[in-house]
Amino acid sequence: MMYATGDEQKVQKKKPLYKQWWLWMLTAIVVLLFIFSSNTEPLELTDLTNLSKKEVVNKLGKPNDTWIVQDDEDGYYYMYPFGVTLLGDETSVSEISLTYGQKGVKSNRVYSILGLTLGVNFNDYTKENPDVFRAPNLDIVSSEGQRSRMYHDKQEDTILNLLTESDRIVGVRYARYANSDESSVIDLANYLGNAVPEQQIIRELGVTSTVTGNADNTYYFGQAGMANWVKSDAKNGQIREITITDGRFFNIGGQRVGDTEAQIAAALGTPTSTTEKADGVKVSTFELTASNTANNCIVEVQSSNGKVSTIQATLRSTYADSLLSQIEEKEPTPVTEKSPNTSTDTWPSLSLEQQIEFNQYFSEFSSVNFGTSPYIKDSAISSYSADELIRFAIERNQKFGQDNSYSLNPNNDSELMMHQDLVAEVIEHFFGIQINHKSTSGYRYKDGFYRWDAYRWAYTDSNLFSQVQRLLDNQDGTLTAEIGVFQDLNDYRNFNSEDSDHLQAKAIRYQPQATGSDASHFSYIGTVKATIKKSESDDWILIDYKVESLY
């Protein structure tokens, strides 16, 4: 009988390979690494928007009861401990939020909204992706230093809200505009009747220019020049009136420019009065109590072809005062003997070239909304503030000037600048006035240059233009033009290009009384009366300019 040696016994007792503990441990590590590596690609949460509630639960799971705010036939509101929040109904998701999860809670997934993940430096992201973000519709910095950048996608009618701290993204929200928290925040009716400090208005609305007065101050805001404004009492800061005429971002009582008359009626109820104006413009008046103020207000809505063009909310007390002043103005005035000099319409006698030149001349003013400040009490140019003339010169140069009329500040690439000589030259050419250079709201003056934030992009063209309807010879060396203001509804982008179609389309604007197929995309939006005279250099200068109506 043969006995195994000690070494042989050890060989016989050696465990099979599949029973070795270290092998199982290594295998587990490999499997875990594979699982985590397969989930490094962020899950894009906006892909959930068109999914049903069942499909969303299949993707993210269903949170336990402590994290469910609502779950019934009206919809669901799910909060996940790893930082995702969803609002939706059986067919789709209406709001998505992404924040840092509850302390100690981790997820094996990384989440993104429109490609944005938490912790990313916003400035670094925009440098790497320069075409992704334009200027925000609203940019607010809180007293604690948290910054909210709000972007509105008109086509999708959605809002993207980015929260950053020290420029690092700490929260992202993506919501459909209607009924979202954001739409309630930017309901401007909430300001009415409240005393709001000037700096708060400037910060919260992104004010681009300000006109101060003895009784009222006016703050213009939004991305379309002076299309939207807020009026406040100069003494106590109480907001008396708010008007929006452009864009789909801000709302009054939940209603926006571009809404239908049916939407307005459904939200605001039966109008207290309705009047018809010229050219099919309808004015309807409603009563409204804003949710965040105890003050009742009157909302006046102008619409044309069933679409809203202007919404104005006024404190009831202020509105009553305005009606009283109108009644006082209607008191009969004494009859005075008319001057023997009578004005004659010279427009029909002008050549086609002369008519085009006058249309182009007056378009210089309408294109930048000149004279639309509600605090221009006297239409004489000599009574206009220097702020108004400086703003005209800068914005006129942006729209009609050469490419080198403004440039980036070489020491600050977030700032544009224009030399003072260009501003002075335009003011003297169009108004025959020499000004003292100064900073105005929206334009800082320093070291011979006017400067403004680069996110307020420079325009190369305007879709507003003028057409003279009558040109009266006043027999005293002056001419008074009765002007129609039009909007070109086509989008031709950059007219500085060599595209002959674009240049021809622009030229049609100035053809006198353009009609027919060439003008089918022109919209008549208002009237202006302007008086001009010859300067010593034989140029026409503007001496009086009054915007009589603007829809």
Side-chain angles (χ1 to χ4, degrees):
M1 179 179 295
M2 297 184 65
Y3 293 91
T5 66
D7 290 342
E8 290 171 335
Q9 287 178 342
K10 290 180 181 178
V11 171
Q12 289 175 355
K13 291 179 180 179
K14 190 175 182 180
K15 294 181 181 180
L17 186 62
Y18 68 87
K19 291 185 178 182
Q20 300 297 319
W21 66 269
W22 56 268
L23 179 63
W24 283 109
M25 180 64 74
L26 180 61
T27 303
I29 292 173
V30 171
V31 171
L32 288 174
L33 287 174
F34 175 77
I35 291 173
F36 282 108
S37 65
S38 64
N39 286 299
T40 55
E41 185 70 23
L43 176 64
E44 177 54 54
L45 293 173
T46 57
D47 292 342
L48 305 177
T49 53
N50 294 320
L51 298 186
S52 66
K53 175 182 173 182
K54 182 178 179 181
E55 291 170 320
V56 168
V57 171
N58 288 338
K59 280 270 189 182
L60 296 184
K62 186 174 182 179
N64 60 44
D65 291 343
T66 60
W67 292 88
I68 295 177
V69 180
Q70 177 186 351
D71 194 358
D72 52 36
E73 62 183 10
D74 293 327
Y76 66 90
Y77 185 175
Y78 288 170
M79 299 176 65
Y80 293 87
F82 45 82
V84 174
T85 300
L86 301 176
L87 277 76
D89 54 28
E90 291 294 333
T91 61
S92 62
V93 177
S94 59
E95 295 185 21
I96 304 169
S97 295
L98 176 60
T99 58
Y100 287 105
Q102 187 183 39
K103 189 174 182 180
V105 175
K106 294 183 178 181
S107 172
N108 64 344
R109 295 301 305 260
V110 176
Y111 301 93
S112 66
I113 292 180
L114 297 178
L116 296 164
T117 56
L118 299 180
V120 171
N121 186 285
F122 179 76
N123 291 333
D124 292 343
Y125 180 89
T126 53
K127 286 179 181 177
E128 295 172 3
N129 304 275
D131 298 327
V132 174
F133 285 103
R134 64 186 190 284
N137 296 82
L138 195 61
D139 191 348
I140 301 174
V141 180
S142 71
S143 56
E144 294 79 21
Q146 189 176 74
R147 188 170 184 174
S148 171
R149 297 175 177 89
M150 208 175 295
Y151 302 85
H152 179 223
D153 186 324
K154 289 186 179 182
Q155 185 173 356
E156 300 292 335
D157 203 21
T158 55
I159 289 178
L160 174 69
N161 193 358
L162 283 179
L163 296 177
T164 59
E165 291 178 356
S166 300
D167 292 320
R168 196 160 295 280
I169 297 175
V170 296
V172 190
R173 267 181 56 81
Y174 178 82
R176 293 177 184 168
Y177 188 103
N179 303 318
S180 66
D181 292 342
E182 285 76 9
S183 68
S184 299
V185 170
I186 55 181
D187 180 353
L188 300 177
N190 296 328
Y191 282 87
L192 280 171
N194 295 323
V196 183
E198 180 176 77
Q199 289 306 313
Q200 181 180 342
I201 296 175
I202 293 173
R203 183 179 70 251
E204 293 184 353
L205 296 182
V207 171
T208 57
S209 60
T210 304
V211 177
T212 58
N214 294 328
D216 300 309
N217 295 329
T218 304
Y219 304 92
Y220 295 94
F221 60 94
Q223 294 188 330
M226 304 177 75
N228 310 314
W229 62 87
V230 168
K231 293 183 185 179
S232 70
D233 188 294
K235 293 182 179 179
N236 58 26
Q238 183 190 49
I239 304 299
R240 294 177 171 180
E241 179 186 301
I242 299 169
T243 303
I244 53 177
T245 67
D246 182 85
R248 299 279 295 154
F249 183 66
F250 293 101
N251 69 80
I252 293 178
Q255 308 311 298
R256 294 179 279 169
V257 170
D259 282 355
T260 64
E261 292 176 349
Q263 287 175 297
I264 296 289
L268 301 180
T270 303
T272 57
S273 66
T274 301
T275 58
E276 298 283 347
K277 287 190 171 184
D279 303 306
V281 175
K282 181 191 294 185
V283 181
S284 300
T285 304
F286 302 84
E287 294 186 356
L288 172 68
T289 299
S291 58
N292 292 342
T293 176
N295 295 283
N296 292 335
C297 60
I298 303 299
V299 178
E300 186 176 274
V301 177
Q302 290 193 18
S303 58
S304 179
N305 299 320
K307 291 284 188 178
V308 173
S309 58
T310 302
I311 306 176
Q312 183 179 82
T314 310
L315 275 180
R316 180 183 289 278
S317 57
T318 304
Y319 185 78
D321 291 343
S322 69
L323 292 179
L324 180 62
S325 64
Q326 290 178 23
I327 294 172
E328 291 173 347
E329 288 175 1
K330 290 182 179 180
E331 292 183 0
T333 56
V335 177
T336 57
E337 185 178 350
K338 292 184 179 180
S339 169
N341 293 332
T342 57
S343 301
T344 57
D345 185 10
T346 64
W347 187 249
S349 64
L350 299 181
S351 67
L352 175 62
E353 290 75 15
Q354 290 173 316
Q355 290 180 337
I356 291 174
E357 286 179 5
F358 274 115
N359 285 340
Q360 289 175 324
Y361 175 83
F362 289 112
S363 293
E364 301 258 14
F365 305 101
S366 60
S367 69
V368 295
N369 291 298
F370 182 69
T372 57
S373 168
Y375 285 99
I376 298 176
K377 301 301 183 183
D378 188 341
S379 58
I381 296 300
S382 58
S383 298
Y384 274 50
S385 67
D387 292 36
E388 288 290 321
L389 303 185
I390 291 170
R391 184 193 66 81
F392 165 79
I394 294 174
E395 297 186 5
R396 182 267 174 194
N397 279 344
Q398 290 176 4
K399 287 181 170 65
F400 290 97
Q402 300 299 317
D403 292 340
N404 60 358
S405 63
Y406 54 88
S407 61
L408 279 173
N409 185 342
N411 300 318
N412 181 0
D413 59 6
S414 64
E415 186 176 70
L416 291 172
M417 54 196 296
M418 182 181 296
H419 196 273
Q420 64 177 18
D421 290 351
L422 291 172
V423 175
E425 180 182 342
V426 168
I427 293 174
E428 185 166 6
H429 175 77
F430 283 97
F431 307 111
I433 294 174
Q434 294 181 346
I435 63 155
N436 294 320
H437 295 288
K438 52 172 284 191
S439 294
T440 68
S441 179
Y443 299 102
R444 300 177 292 278
Y445 176 71
K446 182 180 178 182
D447 299 331
F449 285 89
Y450 286 91
R451 306 156 188 267
W452 63 96
D453 294 333
Y455 72 81
R456 293 168 54 199
W457 55 82
Y459 297 92
T460 56
D461 190 63
S462 170
N463 63 350
L464 299 182
F465 62 97
S466 291
Q467 288 240 333
V468 177
Q469 296 167 341
R470 294 209 304 163
L471 188 64
L472 305 176
D473 186 344
N474 299 317
Q475 310 296 323
D476 60 358
T478 66
L479 300 176
T480 295
E482 296 176 359
I483 302 162
V485 180
F486 292 81
Q487 181 178 19
D488 189 339
L489 302 179
N490 278 348
D491 184 3
Y492 294 108
R493 301 295 178 185
N494 190 345
F495 272 115
N496 287 347
S497 70
E498 298 298 324
D499 191 319
S500 58
D501 291 337
H502 290 182
L503 296 174
Q504 182 180 1
K506 184 178 180 180
I508 291 172
R509 297 174 178 178
Y510 310 122
Q511 296 290 330
Q513 299 296 312
T515 56
S517 60
D518 287 339
S520 61
H521 51 275
F522 294 166
S523 175
Y524 181 78
I525 65 169
T527 59
V528 168
K529 182 175 285 187
T531 300
I532 57 178
K533 70 176 183 179
K534 286 281 188 171
S535 67
E536 293 180 359
S537 58
D538 204 35
D539 294 318
W540 288 112
I541 61 173
L542 192 69
I543 61 173
D544 195 278
Y545 193 86
K546 182 179 181 181
V547 177
E548 296 187 318
S549 64
L550 198 63
Y551 310 127

